Amino acid sequence: MNSEISPVQGVSSHVHQPAAAEAHPARSNHPHPTAPLLREFTMRFTSSRHGARLARRLVSQRLDEWGYPYDGRANETLTLITAELAANAIRHGHVPGRDFRVRLTETGATLRVEVTDTRTERVPPLTAQERPDRAESGRGLLIVAHLATRWAVSPRVSGPGKTVWAELHLR
């Protein structure tokens, strides 16, 4: 596993690229954890608009490095999903003094993004519904539900909070 220090955050980012003969199960609340984890990027961000914007940009950059070009469907879709989930984390999952975490993984033909915050009492509904009013906000999970192959919410494993994840199947 390679560790890189982020000059902006001062936290570690981990990229795991196992050799072809290595098999690592995906570590997540994925219903099918037998798929080998090919690549992983994880980083914590400040719970602010700047942190959400940086998360979106770094996910897009990492996908490009993994062979999913900036202007490709997979990169554009997962970048938009990341933007929506990160915006929700800072707006609805913010706890003063706490960061949010983004984890991007590739397992075979599936890309997955997870956004974890430390707020436990505000869990998004799994059935996102169109808002009846003409408000300019409140449709982020509708976008995620439309773009992702599937998505869900899981309790945070390492402490209080939750993880909202979305997957994009490429084939």
Side-chain angles (χ1 to χ4, degrees), residues 66-84:
W66 291 356
Y68 301 97
Y70 289 112
D71 60 350
R73 182 185 75 83
N75 192 315
E76 289 179 347
T77 301
L78 225 32
T79 298
L80 180 55
I81 290 170
T82 301
E84 294 297 337

Side-chain angles (χ1 to χ4, degrees), residues 23-46:
H24 294 281
R27 298 174 323 221
S28 66
N29 295 25
H30 190 293
H32 307 289
T34 58
L37 181 63
L38 301 177
R39 296 185 182 115
E40 178 180 27
F41 167 76
T42 302
M43 185 175 265
R44 286 187 352 220
F45 299 91
T46 59

Side-chain angles (χ1 to χ4, degrees), residues 30-166:
H30 190 293
H32 307 289
T34 58
L37 181 63
L38 301 177
R39 296 185 182 115
E40 178 180 27
F41 167 76
T42 302
M43 185 175 265
R44 286 187 352 220
F45 299 91
T46 59
S47 190
S48 66
R49 288 187 301 169
H50 175 72
R53 183 172 50 250
L54 184 59
R56 174 182 51 82
R57 288 182 176 177
L58 289 178
V59 163
S60 182
Q61 177 184 356
R62 189 55 50 127
L63 286 167
D64 184 65
E65 290 172 5
W66 291 356
Y68 301 97
Y70 289 112
D71 60 350
R73 182 185 75 83
N75 192 315
E76 289 179 347
T77 301
L78 225 32
T79 298
L80 180 55
I81 290 170
T82 301
E84 294 297 337
L85 296 182
N88 281 353
I90 66 167
R91 185 171 194 172
H92 305 293
H94 174 73
V95 173
R98 300 290 180 124
D99 297 336
F100 71 94
R101 180 180 63 92
V102 172
R103 180 174 182 244
L104 175 67
T105 59
E106 179 183 17
T107 54
T110 302
L111 292 170
R112 176 178 171 128
V113 65
E114 302 173 3
V115 177
T116 302
D117 64 56
T118 55
R119 194 147 188 194
T120 56
E121 71 277 6
R122 297 197 68 184
V123 177
L126 288 178
T127 56
Q129 297 178 1
E130 185 70 37
R131 291 187 56 163
D133 57 8
R134 294 189 171 274
E136 291 185 20
S137 64
R139 292 180 178 83
L141 291 179
L142 285 171
I143 293 170
V144 170
H146 179 74
L147 294 175
T149 305
R150 60 192 196 137
W151 71 280
V153 181
S154 305
R156 182 174 171 219
V157 176
S158 59
K162 64 190 167 300
T163 298
V164 183
W165 57 266

